[in-house]
Amino acid sequence: MRRLLLIAPLLLFSAGCGAVQSSNAEATDAAREVARKADERLDSQRPRTASEVGRSASGIDGVEVLRVAGTSTHEGDGIDVVVRTSGSAYKGWLDPQEVTVRRCFALRVSPKSEWGEDPRDMDCPDGPPLAFAPPPEPPQLPYEELQAKLPRVPEGGRVDEAEVRRKLAALDLHPAIRTEVKADGGRVGILLSVKGNGFDPQDCVLARVDPGATKVWVPSRMQRMPGEGGCSVGNALNPVRPPH
């Protein structure tokens, strides 16, 4: 009887240790799942720099970015990101307390990466999470200013391309704004645009100076998608019907 009384605490102790180990493993799996979902959200075919990837990762709930290595997602092996996440689990019926762990994982952001692969466990680097400056705001395209400055040519008159170019120069546009001017059939078409990323709709403004009519407009979102040709001086001279 005495022997059984001695064994009983040992069994309870062993069960307690097993419960703690099990809850730690469950909490670690939960932390890994946060990292895996972050990896899925970072997946994209769009080329991005290391700072862009790091900024995106740091904006995901429950994710701290501790290290970013690489130049571009489309160069070499892509971008390696070390993130720290947390996960929780309960110890068990003997001790219904919550166990929370913080773990670090390495993510590979590259078009060559396999979708849904598990993040790699790793030791957390020393130091606080990295901070990333907000992305620079693209310059605003001067829609109203362009509308106000372009010449109004009466019907039967002649559109002077040189005058149109002088009016554009007077706008003192931001260096990042691309300008294209083309004359055709007595009309002058104008394109103002900023460089897109090749995946999202491009920002652009079109204008056309005709005898008797001067028009400024922004193409539809569908027309501004890559490959649709909406942001072109040709579309300013001969607009195509939406959605193409």
Side-chain angles (χ1 to χ4, degrees), residues 49-234:
T49 64
S51 60
E52 288 176 317
V53 172
R55 186 185 300 114
S56 297
S58 66
I60 299 174
D61 289 342
V63 173
E64 295 177 313
V65 179
L66 301 184
R67 181 183 297 162
V68 180
T71 303
S72 167
T73 54
H74 285 55
E75 292 184 23
D77 293 329
I79 303 295
D80 283 320
V81 186
V82 177
V83 300
R84 181 166 58 202
T85 63
S86 62
S88 300
Y90 288 96
K91 290 184 177 179
W93 64 272
L94 290 175
D95 187 3
Q97 293 184 4
E98 193 174 37
V99 173
T100 299
V101 300
R102 302 175 79 195
R103 297 288 186 266
C104 286
F105 304 92
L107 312 179
R108 174 72 54 80
V109 184
S110 165
K112 303 174 186 176
S113 299
E114 293 185 11
W115 172 262
E117 64 179 342
D118 284 336
R120 304 187 306 277
D121 297 62
M122 66 173 301
D123 294 332
C124 292
D126 295 330
L130 301 179
F132 298 88
E137 290 290 334
Q140 292 292 317
L141 295 174
Y143 181 96
E144 295 180 356
E145 294 91 334
L146 182 64
Q147 197 169 40
K149 289 286 187 181
L150 286 179
R152 268 64 178 173
V153 181
E155 289 189 19
R158 176 179 171 274
V159 180
D160 186 348
E161 181 183 353
E163 182 186 6
V164 172
R165 291 182 179 276
R166 285 194 297 270
K167 295 292 185 180
L168 289 174
L171 291 175
D172 193 23
L173 298 173
H174 190 283
I177 297 177
R178 175 173 169 262
T179 303
E180 191 173 348
V181 179
K182 184 178 181 180
D184 179 60
R187 307 167 301 159
V188 174
I190 301 155
L191 166 68
L192 301 183
S193 64
V194 292
K195 186 178 180 181
N197 57 30
F199 290 85
D200 299 315
Q202 187 177 5
D203 288 334
C204 69
V205 171
L206 303 181
R208 185 177 64 251
V209 181
D210 268 322
T214 292
K215 183 180 180 181
V216 179
W217 74 100
V218 176
S220 69
R221 176 184 174 87
M222 179 62 74
Q223 288 181 318
R224 292 185 287 111
M225 291 298 292
E228 292 297 325
C231 290
S232 67
V233 72

